[in-house]
Amino acid sequence: MANNTADHPPGNSVAEGNHDGDFGVTTMELRDLMELRSAEAVSKIRDTFGDVQGICRRLKTSPIEGLSGNPVDLEKRHAAFGQNFIPPKKPKTFLQLVWEALQDVTLIILEVAAIISLGLSFYHPPGGDSEACGQVSGGAEDEGESQAGWIEGAAILFSVIIVVLVTAFNDWSKEKQFRGLQSRIEQEQKFTVIRKGQVIQIPVAEIVVGDIAQIKYGDLLPADGILIQGNDLKIDESSLTGESDHVRKSLEKDPMLLSGTHVMEGSGRMVVSAVGLNSQTGIIFTLLGASENDEEKKVKKTKTQDGIALEIQPLKSEEAAESEEKEEKEEAKPVKKVNVTKKEKSVLQGKLTRLAVQIGKAGLIMSAVTVIILILYFVIDTFGIQGRPWLAECTPIYIQYFVKFFIIGVTVLVVAVPEGLPLAVTISLAYSVKKMMKDNNLVRHLDACETMGNATAICSDKTGTLTMNRMTVVQAYIGDTHYKTVPEPDIIKPETLEMMVNSISINSAYTTKILPPEKEGGLPRHVGNKTECALLGLVLELKRDYQPIRDEIPEEKLYKVYTFNSSRKSMSTVLKNADGGFCMYSKGASEIILRKCSRILDAQGQPRVFKPKDREEMVRKVIEPMACDGLRTICVAYKDFPAEAGEPDWDSENDILNELTCIAVVGIEDPVRPEVPEAISKCQRAGITVRMVTGDNINTARAIATKCGILLPGEDFLCLEGKEFNQQIRNDKGEVEQERLDKVWPKLRVLARSSPTDKHTLVKGIIDSTVGETRQVVAVTGDGTNDGPALKKADVGFAMGIAGTDVAKEASDIILTDDNFTSIVKAVMWGRNVYDSISKFLQFQLTVNVVAVIVAFTGACITQDSPLKAVQMLWVNLIMDTLASLALATEPPTESLLLRKPYGRNKPLISRTMMKNILGHAVYQLVIIFTLLFAGEKFFDIDSGRNAPLHAPPSEHYTIVFNVFVMMQLFNEVNARKIHGERNVFEGIYRNPIFCSVVLGTFILQIIIVQLGGKPFSCTALTIDQWLWCVFIGVGELLWGQLITAVPTHRLRFLREAGHGTTKEEIHEEEMTEGVDEIDHAEMELRRGQILWFRGLNRIQTQIKVVNAFRSSLYEGLESPVSRNSIHNFMAHPEFLPMSEEEARIPPISETGEEIETLPSASPGARGGGEPPIAFHNSHELSI
């Protein structure tokens, strides 16, 4: 590996040679050394350098004091060994983004059409103007006008350029924002080093070779190094080696620490030996050529990870390409690496992809039909009815007609396909992410922000999230006495006090300190582990100091340290006595340590026997009362190993951690954050269940859960301990069973004394569960390294920005920069806002789509020419896509978002209220436009624009039609601001300056286009009267909107919803194909097309069966109260065998002509004696 890179020193390592004078070792020597492992490395260090101290001497650094921090020295080190950062890959240039935007299929079709149109307009065949070719250039007033045929082609090209530039600019700003975010995350990463004997934190990029870094449990190592001193250090090197077992590090066996690996246990100090591109991670980057060809690699990777998705693209038609476009646009969001756990596409993206594909298909069919009808009509009219011969010299003119038809067809397609969707999503997400920064949410994965709006459950840690993480000792049990407040030092026996102070001072991480407050009169600053800070605070309250004790016994003198980890739940430190014996201090959760105690110090400070029954009494009288006050109980103990017994076997932990002598039990309080109860009640109002998962004992957990409002008095909820939880959910073989878990989790509110695996099991169980109406979307908070798996598995993982370890942050989707639960509520609000913004945009966009497509289609079929010209369509497209997505996607969130239940995974994007609005407004617009189209000339007393010849000048008539159309869209945009049927559509409009400016800007541009657009926009200037009429008709939209709102939605049963998420049936299928790589929904849709027509044959039989089967239940059901629900509820009931989605979507019509929607839903009350399920069995066998 070394040779590959030896020939070309990477970017920032300077050619070596000339620095040998400064340091006794070169970059290459250190790199070669770092490539060795375990025994090889130890012998190499011994042979070359003598020992690690030798390396420190050559690197001119002191293992105790660290570097001097002198800028000149640091500069020298940068020059000799490089800097600690790996240059990021170059962002895409604006031109590359433009090129990517040009790949859009519809745009390519338009460009081709425009170029053909341009070419033909310049080609004038001889004799082309003869009467023989029919009235082709009939109405051209003069020669100059017919020469202007090129304008349309040029205008289309121009508008394509505008669309491309807008898209590219959006992508570019998105990329820029994302980079800003990344660099902010990187700047916030700090690491602890020792300089001039002081422990300080510096940004990771400033670490240099020769620095002495302190490492501890939960760190992500920022550079390569060699261990100087370590306590029970275990490292997870899977990110580099792929080995999942933790590697134990020690000076004798394996002192090599590699960048990018995680410290899973223990602590220690290392001397940094390689940084940046010379570190092991850097070398791998260089080998990958990360800086240049990372791009292709990434693309390949994501392709293989999405499984077969991209290889089996069936119909290579425009729609397939279309959907692929969509995918790619949406995938342009930072692609989540596919980790061990399978994270699905975000809920919204899944729904959008499917909707886009469905709309794309419809648009494609409409545009094809338009073109065919136009061509047939023209051919039949010209050659059939008028009976003209096809003359050679007329061919270009006929072709020009065909090109014009083709362009009309393409514009129908362009308007039909909502390519603004990905744009709206991106704008909305990017805007939210920017604003969420202010609410202390640092979003690492864009789609997490939207998923959060759908969250139905939050599994939160207790410490630091719900509580303040400012621990203080408030009660103590010392020398047979239970003190309700911290006792005065003179009450306690000096021997006991001495023992306790020593135990606490030595048996805690030396990085944990209590520093004087930053501001006068503030609270002292707690640095390091908060529980240890509480104990050190107790030492200070007892008028003693821990620092002199630590100075007397520095870390090097600690003989052996068993650091705290999640399975041990205790920490012990061993010292060697002068006489050759050993003394061990331990501390940990009281129930765990007390079980290992056989003696206890009495009131005289003398150890007396401590039997199991004494222990039970103590638990009952001391520990439970403390826990019921919401205190965390910690036991401090010690053990002597006499010199005569020889050195014990330190690896058999069970023997060592036994026969302890209890010194004291203390109760530590961590007060609930004052704002948390309010935030939790908001969550509960919003339909989100908050569960507390904590390592504390059950009484403490219950007390705090009650204070927070997670447990409400008089409600029937479960509080379980980890052990009990496991007994309830595992079968005899010890495997987790989903059915058992489904019995537990709906009522579970507090899980105490839980291990990280319990947390992961719970989260996975809730996500995979199919109990209840909707599938659960789970958010999880975590701060410890051990929370990694649960954070990864959750739909949204929140890591703590202050208390969180690097590993937790790495696994999370959102980082809470203030560690506060209220920020999660803000995230929910923003998430719901994103969802609503997309829905608003859809409601607006689809209204325009429906109207524009129908107008273009019918107009073209009846009058041979689309009333809305290609360029005008593109302008409308620009209004509705880019500008509307800007205006509607940046609505700020309101508190009222938290008053409704979450949408869940399978709630359709377009609700029935929205469908009512879309169709209602479409009706108004179509009536107006067709009235103007066929009777407008009489109304305004102008010449008719219908049946104009090929290059006729723009008519006033069609200009009015176009202008009215745009005015109606503008006013409908205001209507689109509300999607839940609210009356006041102007509410809070001034809070969104972007919306106001977009609407005004569009209006001004429209005036300019109509008055000055001329030939390119097929417009002619209008009088002030005509303008007023146009605006008046537009304002009618607002009044009409009020009228639609007045119609109750539940009366309009024929409305269907659209844009569903995954339904239950598909979940069952998904679970069966868990091993297979995921295939995207859009692809699934396309595949289904092939199966569809098989299904068609069977559907009729199936429908008759189903209707007959429900007959019986219909009559019985009518006596019971009828709940009128859509057919989807039939599907949502687990008793039924899953029907395929298509069948679910097309309701069978019964012979009485009633829709199945009006049947009683399959609630147990309405079901007729268990027959329907059987009927569904039959129907299922019938369907393919």
Side-chain angles (χ1 to χ4, degrees):
M1 199 160 151
N3 338 6
N4 308 8
T5 47
D7 316 337
H8 335 277
N12 56 5
S13 69
V14 186
E16 280 79 35
N18 51 359
H19 287 286
D20 287 1
D22 295 346
F23 300 102
V25 58
T26 63
T27 315
M28 281 322 294
E29 283 174 327
L30 286 172
R31 261 175 69 166
D32 293 344
L33 176 62
M34 289 317 294
E35 274 163 18
L36 303 173
R37 300 279 177 278
S38 47
E40 290 179 352
V42 176
S43 59
K44 171 87 173 167
I45 293 176
R46 211 176 33 243
D47 302 346
T48 319
F49 304 100
D51 58 0
V52 182
Q53 311 293 340
I55 299 179
C56 293
R57 279 195 294 281
R58 293 204 191 182
L59 286 172
K60 302 199 168 135
T61 180
S62 142
I64 312 289
E65 296 281 309
L67 294 177
S68 62
N70 170 0
V72 181
D73 175 46
L74 296 181
E75 205 34 64
K76 260 189 192 165
R77 288 174 193 274
H78 277 159
F81 302 110
Q83 293 187 328
N84 193 25
F85 88 110
I86 292 169
K89 68 167 194 287
K90 288 204 263 320
K92 285 184 183 160
T93 59
F94 189 69
L95 286 174
Q96 280 170 311
L97 291 169
V98 167
W99 176 243
E100 278 179 17
L102 276 170
Q103 310 299 311
D104 192 324
V105 185
T106 35
L107 289 181
I108 292 174
I109 298 174
L110 271 179
E111 286 153 25
V112 173
I115 290 166
I116 295 175
S117 157
L118 269 176
L120 287 172
S121 67
F122 289 127
Y123 172 58
H124 285 283
D129 296 333
S130 70
E131 188 47 44
C133 301
Q135 346 90 334
V136 170
S137 38
E141 274 91 77
D142 56 50
E143 213 28 33
E145 197 61 77
S146 69
Q147 298 305 314
W150 61 274
I151 291 183
E152 185 169 32
I156 293 181
L157 278 182
F158 180 69
S159 45
V160 165
I161 290 169
I162 297 278
V163 171
V164 166
L165 287 177
V166 168
T167 315
F169 177 74
N170 271 313
D171 286 347
W172 178 77
S173 59
K174 183 173 77 185
E175 176 94 350
K176 188 160 150 259
Q177 260 184 354
F178 190 64
R179 284 190 177 271
L181 203 71
Q182 284 297 80
S183 64
R184 181 167 162 178
I185 291 178
E186 278 158 22
Q187 280 161 11
E188 286 187 350
Q189 265 189 322
K190 289 198 160 53
F191 208 76
T192 316
V193 297
I194 301 175
R195 289 198 178 164
K196 274 202 258 172
Q198 292 291 318
V199 178
I200 57 166
Q201 288 210 322
I202 59 169
V204 167
E206 289 177 21
I207 293 176
V208 293
V209 171
D211 255 323
I212 306 296
Q214 282 203 341
I215 55 176
K216 60 180 188 311
Y217 160 75
D219 282 343
L220 175 71
L221 299 184
D224 290 357
I226 301 164
L227 192 63
I228 302 176
Q229 171 264 326
N231 302 320
D232 196 20
L233 196 59
K234 286 189 188 159
I235 307 277
D236 173 9
E237 293 188 348
S238 57
S239 55
L240 282 181
T241 61
E243 287 295 319
S244 55
D245 293 346
H246 299 170
V247 185
R248 187 176 280 250
K249 298 285 177 185
S250 65
L251 281 171
E252 306 74 53
K253 299 234 171 70
D254 184 1
M256 306 317 244
L257 301 169
L258 308 174
S259 59
T261 58
H262 293 125
V263 183
M264 300 311 275
E265 271 186 43
S267 60
R269 291 208 312 269
M270 69 172 192
V271 54
V272 176
S273 59
V275 292
L277 284 174
N278 296 317
S279 68
Q280 290 303 303
T281 317
I283 292 171
I284 291 173
F285 264 95
T286 324
L287 289 178
L288 280 176
S291 329
E292 310 79 30
N293 44 10
D294 198 355
E295 247 328 58
E296 296 92 273
K297 290 241 169 41
K298 260 224 177 97
V299 173
K300 276 190 197 119
K301 246 194 222 142
T302 45
K303 279 195 183 168
T304 49
Q305 282 164 345
D306 285 346
I308 4 176
L310 294 160
E311 282 132 51
I312 329 179
Q313 177 88 30
L315 333 161
K316 250 302 170 213
S317 59
E318 275 162 38
E319 68 202 273
E322 195 63 58
S323 74
E324 216 170 311
E325 268 317 304
K326 289 277 169 308
E327 296 311 338
E328 273 155 30
K329 278 193 189 167
E330 294 186 0
E331 298 297 298
K333 299 191 202 137
V335 180
K336 274 198 199 170
K337 288 200 197 72
V338 176
N339 282 60
V340 198
T341 53
K342 174 176 116 181
K343 239 180 189 176
E344 299 164 12
K345 233 196 193 153
S346 87
V347 183
L348 182 67
Q349 270 180 336
K351 291 179 183 178
L352 282 179
T353 309
R354 303 174 77 171
L355 196 68
V357 170
Q358 288 163 0
I359 295 173
K361 282 182 187 172
L364 193 70
I365 293 165
M366 288 291 273
S367 61
V369 172
T370 312
V371 174
I372 292 166
I373 290 181
L374 284 171
I375 290 178
L376 283 178
Y377 191 102
F378 173 77
V379 170
I380 293 169
D381 186 56
T382 311
F383 303 118
I385 298 170
Q386 297 180 26
R388 296 174 189 280
W390 179 296
L391 297 175
E393 64 266 25
C394 295
T395 307
I397 290 176
Y398 293 145
I399 290 180
Q400 221 163 332
Y401 262 112
F402 291 147
V403 169
K404 176 180 162 187
F405 297 152
F406 182 59
I407 289 180
I408 291 172
V410 172
T411 26
V412 171
L413 179 66
V414 171
V415 174
V417 173
E419 60 272 35
L421 267 183
L423 190 67
V425 177
T426 311
I427 291 180
S428 183
L429 286 173
Y431 171 78
S432 306
V433 167
K434 219 170 177 164
K435 294 279 187 235
M436 280 167 81
M437 291 292 268
K438 294 197 177 78
D439 286 336
N440 304 312
N441 282 298
L442 185 103
V443 181
R444 292 184 64 235
H445 298 133
L446 274 180
D447 52 3
C449 149
E450 160 268 317
T451 313
M452 201 51 218
N454 282 313
T456 54
I458 298 176
C459 294
S460 169
D461 267 5
K462 175 180 75 73
T463 313
T465 317
L466 301 173
T467 58
M468 289 169 78
N469 205 5
R470 235 205 114 76
M471 311 268 197
T472 41
V473 173
V474 288
Q475 296 187 18
Y477 178 86
I478 308 172
D480 290 345
T481 321
H482 185 174
Y483 300 97
K484 292 287 187 185
T485 54
V486 177
E488 288 297 311
D490 40 9
I491 304 176
I492 305 169
K493 271 276 181 255
E495 302 83 44
T496 311
L497 186 60
E498 193 58 35
M499 201 60 167
M500 187 161 86
V501 170
N502 279 345
S503 177
I504 291 173
S505 309
I506 294 167
N507 185 30
S508 56
Y510 279 28
T511 45
T512 304
K513 296 189 180 65
I514 292 184
L515 301 177
E518 280 173 343
K519 298 190 190 74
E520 270 300 307
L523 293 165
R525 278 182 303 153
H526 286 183
V527 181
N529 181 311
K530 303 297 187 218
T531 314
E532 290 182 351
C533 286
L535 293 170
L536 293 177
L538 173 69
V539 171
L540 297 175
E541 268 193 83
L542 293 169
K543 315 267 191 299
R544 305 298 283 277
D545 193 0
Y546 58 87
Q547 202 51 53
I549 303 173
R550 287 183 172 183
D551 295 343
E552 192 184 322
I553 305 176
E555 254 179 303
E556 294 74 60
K557 285 197 184 163
L558 303 180
Y559 191 79
K560 170 94 182 131
V561 179
Y562 297 98
T563 47
F564 181 89
N565 67 26
S566 53
S567 54
R568 246 183 227 142
K569 293 222 189 281
S570 68
M571 172 179 179
S572 310
T573 304
V574 182
L575 297 179
K576 190 164 189 176
N577 300 337
D579 64 358
F582 298 93
C583 172
M584 178 175 78
Y585 294 120
S586 296
K587 68 164 191 290
S590 55
E591 48 265 57
I592 289 173
I593 295 284
L594 281 178
R595 251 184 251 131
K596 312 209 163 153
C597 287
S598 56
R599 293 187 196 72
I600 184 164
L601 294 183
D602 62 13
Q604 269 51 57
Q606 297 307 315
R608 65 173 164 82
V609 177
F610 185 62
K611 296 197 186 81
K613 71 168 198 300
D614 302 334
R615 184 172 72 234
E616 280 157 26
E617 187 183 1
M618 181 155 171
V619 167
R620 205 173 54 249
K621 292 200 170 155
V622 179
I623 289 170
E624 283 183 359
M626 280 189 187
C628 291
D629 294 343
L631 305 185
R632 188 182 204 164
T633 54
I634 299 283
C635 176
V636 183
Y638 76 98
K639 178 180 181 180
D640 283 318
F641 298 91
E644 306 80 76
E647 184 161 348
D649 171 12
W650 297 115
D651 285 339
S652 66
E653 259 182 68
N654 291 345
D655 304 342
I656 304 276
L657 261 182
N658 216 337
E659 305 280 314
L660 305 180
T661 307
C662 168
I663 307 170
V665 173
V666 294
I668 296 178
E669 181 182 49
D670 185 5
V672 171
R673 288 174 180 264
E675 63 277 17
V676 161
E678 166 66 4
I680 285 182
S681 71
K682 270 186 194 165
C683 279
Q684 288 161 344
R685 273 203 302 276
I688 301 169
T689 311
V690 183
R691 294 182 174 82
M692 183 161 100
V693 183
T694 174
D696 259 354
N697 85 33
I698 192 149
N699 295 337
T700 314
R702 194 181 282 131
I704 292 203
T706 313
K707 281 183 195 163
C708 295
I710 293 176
L711 292 177
L712 302 169
E715 292 198 14
D716 166 29
F717 289 136
L718 284 178
C719 296
L720 292 179
E721 285 203 343
K723 222 175 24 227
E724 210 179 327
F725 172 67
N726 277 312
Q727 283 163 4
Q728 293 196 18
I729 64 165
R730 292 176 190 274
N731 58 18
D732 313 334
K733 295 183 192 149
E735 295 158 352
V736 177
E737 283 189 2
Q738 188 67 43
E739 297 84 69
R740 289 173 178 237
L741 194 59
D742 287 343
K743 292 195 184 91
V744 177
W745 73 258
K747 285 194 168 178
L748 184 69
R749 287 296 176 273
V750 175
L751 184 56
R753 278 278 171 253
S754 66
S755 68
T757 32
D758 295 342
K759 191 171 187 174
H760 182 256
T761 309
L762 178 67
V763 171
K764 183 176 184 309
I766 297 181
I767 291 178
D768 294 346
S769 170
T770 46
V771 184
E773 291 78 72
T774 53
R775 284 179 74 201
Q776 299 281 314
V777 178
V778 184
V780 169
T781 68
D783 51 5
T785 306
N786 46 22
D787 292 328
L791 287 171
K792 265 221 158 60
K793 177 66 196 166
D795 293 294
V796 184
F798 286 91
M800 300 298 142
I802 304 167
T805 58
D806 295 342
V807 184
K809 289 180 189 170
E810 199 50 45
S812 68
D813 301 302
I814 298 181
I815 295 174
L816 295 178
T817 48
D818 62 347
D819 287 14
N820 193 338
F821 190 84
T822 38
S823 309
I824 300 179
V825 181
K826 291 265 175 49
V828 172
M829 213 155 87
W830 276 107
R832 293 187 170 189
N833 192 50
V834 168
Y835 201 98
D836 278 10
S837 301
I838 306 296
S839 294
K840 287 171 190 172
F841 171 70
L842 268 175
Q843 176 174 308
F844 173 69
Q845 159 111 46
L846 291 179
T847 313
V848 188
N849 278 12
V850 170
V851 175
V853 169
I854 294 178
V855 167
F857 176 70
T858 37
C861 297
I862 297 171
T863 65
Q864 292 342 255
D865 185 5
S866 169
L868 298 172
K869 300 290 181 291
V871 181
Q872 296 174 350
M873 288 276 213
L874 284 168
W875 162 237
V876 168
N877 214 22
L878 196 71
I879 303 181
M880 44 184 231
D881 281 0
T882 314
L883 299 172
S885 58
L886 247 180
L888 293 168
T890 51
E891 289 271 322
T894 55
E895 285 281 334
S896 60
L897 287 167
L898 292 174
L899 298 177
R900 61 170 174 74
K901 298 276 177 273
Y903 284 149
R905 284 181 201 268
N906 26 17
K907 167 93 167 48
L909 261 180
I910 299 171
S911 64
R912 291 171 70 178
T913 310
M914 285 167 63
M915 197 56 108
K916 176 183 76 175
N917 291 342
I918 291 171
L919 296 178
H921 287 293
V923 166
Y924 174 82
Q925 297 186 8
L926 285 171
V927 167
I928 296 279
I929 294 228
F930 283 131
T931 310
L932 285 177
L933 190 57
F934 296 111
E937 69 272 27
K938 299 187 189 68
F939 181 73
F940 283 108
D941 193 26
I942 45 177
D943 295 335
S944 164
R946 291 193 300 283
N947 300 329
L950 193 60
H951 293 306
S955 65
E956 268 187 353
H957 182 187
Y958 273 18
T959 307
I960 290 178
V961 172
F962 166 60
N963 199 20
V964 165
F965 182 66
V966 173
M967 287 301 124
M968 290 195 294
Q969 301 325 324
L970 267 186
F971 286 100
N972 194 27
E973 200 163 335
V974 180
N975 277 331
R977 290 184 66 245
K978 300 291 177 216
I979 51 175
H980 297 299
E982 296 92 334
R983 283 219 170 268
N984 181 3
V985 288
F986 291 103
E987 184 193 355
I989 198 165
Y990 57 86
R991 280 179 48 224
N992 188 358
I994 301 181
F995 183 86
C996 303
S997 45
V998 165
V999 172
L1000 278 172
T1002 316
F1003 189 67
I1004 292 162
L1005 276 172
Q1006 178 65 14
I1007 295 176
I1008 294 169
I1009 286 175
V1010 170
Q1011 298 304 92
L1012 312 172
K1015 184 79 183 166
F1017 278 99
S1018 318
C1019 286
T1020 160
L1022 299 178
T1023 63
I1024 193 83
D1025 275 6
Q1026 291 165 332
W1027 263 104
L1028 286 172
W1029 271 111
C1030 292
V1031 174
F1032 172 70
I1033 295 173
V1035 174
E1037 263 292 331
L1038 292 173
L1039 306 173
W1040 182 253
Q1042 292 300 316
L1043 206 81
I1044 294 177
T1045 312
V1047 179
T1049 311
H1050 60 85
R1051 287 289 165 79
L1052 309 170
R1053 281 207 211 90
F1054 58 86
L1055 289 179
R1056 315 234 40 70
E1057 301 149 324
H1060 286 264
T1062 1
T1063 50
K1064 286 253 167 103
E1065 296 73 283
E1066 289 167 31
I1067 295 156
H1068 292 309
E1069 286 165 32
E1070 264 175 42
E1071 281 166 3
M1072 281 152 57
T1073 56
E1074 190 79 20
V1076 186
D1077 280 344
E1078 236 178 308
I1079 294 179
D1080 220 302
H1081 288 308
E1083 266 83 359
M1084 296 285 279
E1085 283 280 318
L1086 295 171
R1087 290 247 198 98
R1088 284 200 187 133
Q1090 301 163 338
I1091 309 168
L1092 257 181
W1093 64 278
F1094 286 124
R1095 291 236 176 105
L1097 306 173
N1098 284 346
R1099 181 156 299 131
I1100 295 155
Q1101 298 159 299
T1102 312
Q1103 284 170 359
I1104 293 166
K1105 294 255 172 178
V1106 174
V1107 170
N1108 290 337
F1110 274 87
R1111 269 286 164 69
S1112 53
S1113 63
L1114 176 64
Y1115 299 122
E1116 290 163 33
L1118 287 176
E1119 281 111 54
S1120 63
V1122 179
S1123 65
R1124 304 189 180 282
N1125 269 329
S1126 79
I1127 182 148
H1128 294 281
N1129 282 21
F1130 282 121
M1131 309 325 312
H1133 279 273
E1135 302 102 324
F1136 294 127
L1137 261 184
M1139 274 170 76
S1140 66
E1141 240 230 89
E1142 256 70 34
E1143 282 167 310
R1145 211 170 278 166
I1146 299 172
I1149 305 297
S1150 73
E1151 286 141 42
T1152 55
E1154 278 216 54
E1155 279 208 286
I1156 212 159
E1157 278 200 352
T1158 58
L1159 298 177
S1161 91
S1163 59
R1167 215 188 316 122
E1171 264 189 69
I1174 303 165
F1176 266 77
H1177 276 281
N1178 304 347
S1179 76
H1180 191 64
E1181 283 152 22
L1182 273 165
S1183 75
I1184 289 186

